[in-house]
């Protein structure tokens, strides 16, 4: 697949990946600040697990300590790898905050990339507490730390399903002119975002289109909502 | 500030995505932001350190306390840059004293510890809201400023982390003999005055860390503020509607004019279309019309009353197809004959006409010689060729034993009765199916053994008929056709043959003198 390119010429975090079928996938990489929360959760989880492990195994004497050290090693180095490969690129922290690791072309992360990006945490940690990784990620337009750069991976926001909107029933009216896909989306969004907008702003926005719709500015919001209802089709 | 000039993509984002955008914003203007911050803060810290040389902690505290005042500079730069009017370094620094006027005291005292500082600063600095108005606006905007608080908490950790990291890095880079534990102990055991420089060094490191982090922090707060406003005021919708207005503004004028022209004829037009619509659509569904005046082909100009007519669209499509990625120019280097690359050199001497005629004659002669030679060779080895090349194939085909069974029917002559028509007539009354099968077997056997027809088990009845035509025997052909039609109808359709068919076929059999057994005069 071709590499991801910025989605617009304007400043945006989104990347566009075109699949061979000609479908555009939009990826929105997450910055270090967003990922820091997820990492903190993962760190806390691992710390709690380690303490519990040592507490239980410490009672078994030297054998317990030895076993505990092996398990600690596994926990520290394989926790992220296993979760990322087996849980669709999401460690528990990432899952909690809707983040996901994928390859740069949007494909699910595999063993090779997951191992590489997590082994290179060792470099990102230098000299203390992920300073290197933090600076690299803050300086990179795709927010990749060094491990991500080496493994060719991205941490992206998982697209969430939009919340269902309560819509008032409305007599649908066809638009008096042809609308492009983007314009249809805008009209639909106008219909759906009624509650977020103040009445004055609703009227102001619809008033922009009043001359096109052939109605007065006061009637424009209702007309625009009716057009949106028509675009939505029957519920 | 028209929204369409905004340098960032306006779309609904989650607050954390807005933070991501803030990082991108800071990256875009990193040089200016970092340089202006450094030029503003580092000299100030130097002054504090010199004035308070004996109290490095106080200098640091003072410096830290003034951060909100410094933060107004990156916000000023970012707010200008958002609409493309990025100030130069000098302009930005000169503008800073003017930025301090609005409620600086509040920012540095009771609002100093506000966690959503980065989010509320734009209200003060960009919207110039004070007192009651500011509180109302905050209520409207601030319902989801939780992320701004998180941002500040994160910022505290990042500052501490980078600061410690930088100090550790410096320590790690020290030569080992200088960094040995004993010398550090010796240093720290001396009176505090003698290691004040160490604290000032650490202060400088903090200032350096702020150079990197603070612009990002301010940019993220600004981006959160923008996102919240864009969400509340639906900036993306405004942009989309304005674009729609721009696109249709011109077109709608034309539409209105044309409507005005058409209205008087509207009724007439409707009648006309009703009358003509049916035949046209019928004709269209029946055949594909050839291009004509009524029905121009795909190449003719169409959609001529639209802003984008078909010809312009075709031109644009061609241009698009000629550009990458559709049109790819590849340069390849291959080995080739050098002579092939050179153009044919013009002949030095023009050959006379008679010489050209002579060459043509010589060419014909040479070709004739070659053909004659080949013919001579063929004549010389004619016996050998007949024996091994031609004879071999025909002999093999002829010698191959005809199959004893075809499509499950035994066609060996020995399996057939001696007087086949008589047997068929006997059977016909009892079992027409068996009688027809016997006739069919007899026919196939005759074709195989007497006529040497190369029948195979894969042949269908139809193919047998086609092969029969090759024998050029119309009487046999007609007989076989009747027989096979009846046989197919019976075998596949279970339709019984007419009763008189059997005797008729037997008569035809006798008239044709068919037999599968070799008889004198018939055998080849």
């Amino acid at each position: 697949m071709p590499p991801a390119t910025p989605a617009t010429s304007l400043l945006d975090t989104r990347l566009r990946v075109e699949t061979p079928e000609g479908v555009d996938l939009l990826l929105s990489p997450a910055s270090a600040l967003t990922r820091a929360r997820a990492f903190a959760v993962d760190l806390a989880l691992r710390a709690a697990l380690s303490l519990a492990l040592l507490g239980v195994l410490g009672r078994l004497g030297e054998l317990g300590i030895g076993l505990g050290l092996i398990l600690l090693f596994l926990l520290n180095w394989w926790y992220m790898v296993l979760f990322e490969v087996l849980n669709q690129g999401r460690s528990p922290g990432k899952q909690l905050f809707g983040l996901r690791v994928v390859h740069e072309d949007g494909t699910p992360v595999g063993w090779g990339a997951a191992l590489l990006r997590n082994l290179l945490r060792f470099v990102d940690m230098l000299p203390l507490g992920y300073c290197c990784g933090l600076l690299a990620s803050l300086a990179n337009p795709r927010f990749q730390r060094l491990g991500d750069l080496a493994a060719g991976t991205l941490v992206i926001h998982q697209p969430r399903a939009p919340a269902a909107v309560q819509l008032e029933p409305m007599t649908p009216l066809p638009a008096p002119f042809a609308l492009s896909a983007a314009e249809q989306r805008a009209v639909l969004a106008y219909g759906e975002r009624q509650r977020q907008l103040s009445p004055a702003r609703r009227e102001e926005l619809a008033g922009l289109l009043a001359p096109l719709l052939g109605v007065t500015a006061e009637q424009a919001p209702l007309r625009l909502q009716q057009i949106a209802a028509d675009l939505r089709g029957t519920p | 500030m028209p929204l369409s000039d905004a340098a960032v993509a306006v779309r609904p984002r989650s607050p954390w995505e807005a933070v991501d955008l803030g990082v991108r914003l800071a990256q875009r203007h990193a040089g200016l932001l970092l340089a202006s911050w450094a030029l503003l803060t580092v000299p100030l810290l130097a002054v504090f350190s010199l004035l308070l040389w004996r109290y490095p902690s106080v200098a640091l505290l003072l410096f830290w306390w003034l951060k909100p005042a410094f933060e107004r500079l990156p916000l000023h730069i970012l707010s200008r840059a958002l609409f493309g009017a990025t100030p130069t370094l000098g302009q930005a620094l000169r503008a800073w004293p003017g930025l301090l006027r609005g409620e600086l005291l509040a920012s540095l005292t009771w609002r100093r510890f506000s966690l959503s500082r980065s989010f509320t600063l734009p209200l003060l600095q960009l919207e110039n809201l004070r007192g009651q108005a500011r509180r109302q606006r905050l209520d409207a905007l601030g319902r989801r400023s939780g992320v701004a608080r998180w941002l500040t908490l994160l910022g505290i950790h990042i500052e501490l982390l980078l600061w410690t990291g930088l100090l550790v890095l410096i320590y790690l880079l020290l030569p080992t003999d200088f960094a040995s534990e004993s010398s550090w102990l010796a240093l720290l055991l001396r009176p505090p005055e003698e290691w004040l420089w160490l604290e000032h060094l650490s202060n400088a490191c903090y200032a350096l860390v702020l150079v990197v982090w603070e612009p990002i922090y301010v940019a993220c707060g600004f981006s959160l503020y923008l996102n919240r406003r864009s969400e509340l005021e639906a900036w993306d919708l405004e942009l989309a509607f304005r674009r729609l207005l721009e696109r249709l503004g011109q077109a709608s004028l034309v539409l209105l004019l044309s409507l005005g022209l058409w209205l008087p004829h509207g009724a007439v037009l409707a009648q006309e279309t009703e009358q003509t619509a049916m035949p046209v659509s019928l004709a269209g569904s029946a055949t594909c019309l050839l291009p004509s005046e009524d029905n121009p082909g795909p190449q003719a100009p169409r959609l001529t009353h639209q802003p984008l007519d078909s010809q312009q669209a075709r031109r644009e499509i061609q241009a698009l197809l000629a550009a990458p990625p559709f049109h790819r120019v590849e340069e390849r280097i291959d080995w080739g004959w050098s002579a092939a690359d050179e153009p044919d050199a013009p002949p030095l001497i023009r050959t006379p006409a008679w010489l050209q005629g002579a060459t043509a004659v010589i060419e014909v002669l040479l070709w004739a010689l070659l053909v004659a030679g080949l013919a001579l060779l063929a004549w010389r080895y004619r016996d050998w060729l007949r024996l091994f090349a031609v004879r071999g194939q025909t002999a093999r085909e002829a010698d191959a034993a005809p199959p004893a069974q075809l499509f499950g029917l035994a066609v060996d002559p020995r399996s057939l009765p001696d007087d086949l028509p008589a047997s068929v007539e006997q059977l016909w009354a009892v079992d027409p199916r068996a009688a027809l099968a016997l006739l069919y077997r007899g026919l196939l056997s005759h074709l195989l053994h007497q006529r040497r027809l190369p029948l195979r088990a894969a042949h269908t009845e139809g193919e047998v008929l086609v092969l029969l035509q090759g024998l050029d025997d119309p009487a046999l052909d007609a007989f076989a056709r009747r027989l096979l039609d009846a046989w197919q109808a019976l075998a596949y359709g279970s339709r019984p043959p007419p009763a008189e068919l059997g005797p008729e076929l037997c008569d035809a059999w006798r008239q044709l003198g068919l037999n599968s057994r070799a008889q004198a005069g018939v055998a080849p």
Side-chain angles (χ1 to χ4, degrees), chain B residues 5-25:
Chain B
D5 289 351
V8 297
V10 179
R11 60 180 173 85
R13 291 182 175 85
S14 73
W16 282 103
E17 273 184 279
V19 170
D20 299 342
L21 183 72
V23 178
R24 288 284 289 131
L25 211 58

Side-chain angles (χ1 to χ4, degrees), chain B residues 453 463-473 477 481:
Chain B
L453 208 60
E463 281 169 332
V464 170
L465 284 177
V466 172
L467 281 173
L468 254 177
Q469 283 174 350
L471 292 178
D472 206 17
D473 187 346
D477 199 35
R481 204 168 283 279

Side-chain angles (χ1 to χ4, degrees), chain A residues 147-171:
Chain A
D148 284 326
L149 284 170
T153 51
L154 291 173
V155 179
I156 59 168
H157 288 278
Q158 244 186 334
R160 293 178 191 220
V165 189
Q166 288 285 326
L167 292 163
E168 295 170 36
M170 195 79 58
T171 2

Side-chain angles (χ1 to χ4, degrees), chain A residues 59-229:
Chain A
R59 298 175 182 220
L60 299 180
E62 286 194 355
L63 174 73
I65 297 286
L67 268 179
L69 286 178
I70 292 175
L71 286 176
L72 273 190
F73 166 79
L74 288 180
L75 189 65
N76 272 323
W77 288 102
W78 287 90
Y79 173 89
M80 288 286 191
V81 177
L82 289 176
F83 271 116
E84 280 170 12
V85 176
L86 301 177
N87 192 24
Q88 303 174 0
R90 301 170 301 180
S91 61
K94 290 195 180 77
Q95 191 161 8
L96 184 63
F97 294 115
L99 300 176
R100 198 181 158 192
V101 184
V102 293
H103 284 134
E104 271 172 340
D105 55 6
T107 49
V109 73
W111 286 106
L115 261 176
L116 191 57
R117 82 181 285 277
N118 285 306
L119 285 181
L120 281 178
R121 280 180 191 277
F122 197 63
V123 181
D124 279 316
M125 275 180 204
L126 290 175
L128 185 83
Y130 283 92
C131 277
C132 252
L134 181 67
L135 289 177
S137 173
L138 287 179
N140 186 291
R142 299 167 173 202
F143 311 129
Q144 289 165 299
R145 59 178 177 83
L146 297 178
D148 284 326
L149 284 170
T153 51
L154 291 173
V155 179
I156 59 168
H157 288 278
Q158 244 186 334
R160 293 178 191 220
V165 189
Q166 288 285 326
L167 292 163
E168 295 170 36
M170 195 79 58
T171 2
L173 262 184
F177 34 76
L179 292 168
S180 71
E183 289 156 2
Q184 289 185 13
R185 274 197 290 274
V187 174
L188 281 173
Y190 179 82
E192 284 166 6
R193 277 150 68 173
Q194 292 293 311
R195 303 239 169 130
Q196 298 171 19
L197 302 174
S198 62
R201 181 64 179 162
R202 281 204 293 261
E203 198 164 304
E204 189 184 353
L205 280 176
L208 285 174
L209 294 183
L212 281 185
L213 297 168
V215 292
T216 60
E218 289 82 46
Q219 296 165 327
L222 184 66
R223 176 61 62 90
L224 213 51
Q225 286 191 56
Q226 286 171 330
I227 294 175

Side-chain angles (χ1 to χ4, degrees), chain B residues 67 155-163 206 209-210 213-214:
Chain B
K67 261 172 37 173
I156 294 168
H157 287 91
I158 287 176
E159 273 177 20
L160 285 176
L161 201 74
L162 288 177
W163 189 17
Y206 180 67
V209 166
L210 285 196
W213 167 244
E214 274 293 325

Side-chain angles (χ1 to χ4, degrees), chain B residues 286-307:
Chain B
T287 53
C288 182
L289 292 179
L290 283 175
S292 65
E293 269 183 38
D294 301 337
N295 176 29
Q299 301 296 327
R302 282 171 297 126
L303 312 175
T304 48
H305 301 302
Q306 297 190 6

Side-chain angles (χ1 to χ4, degrees), chain B residues 402-404 410-418 420 441-442 444-446 448-450 515-518:
Chain B
V411 292
D412 195 55
R414 276 160 294 179
S415 69
L416 295 170
D418 289 338
L420 191 121
R441 276 167 58 202
L444 289 174
S445 180
H446 170 78
L448 267 179
H449 296 99
Q450 308 302 317
N515 204 342
S516 57
R517 303 284 171 86

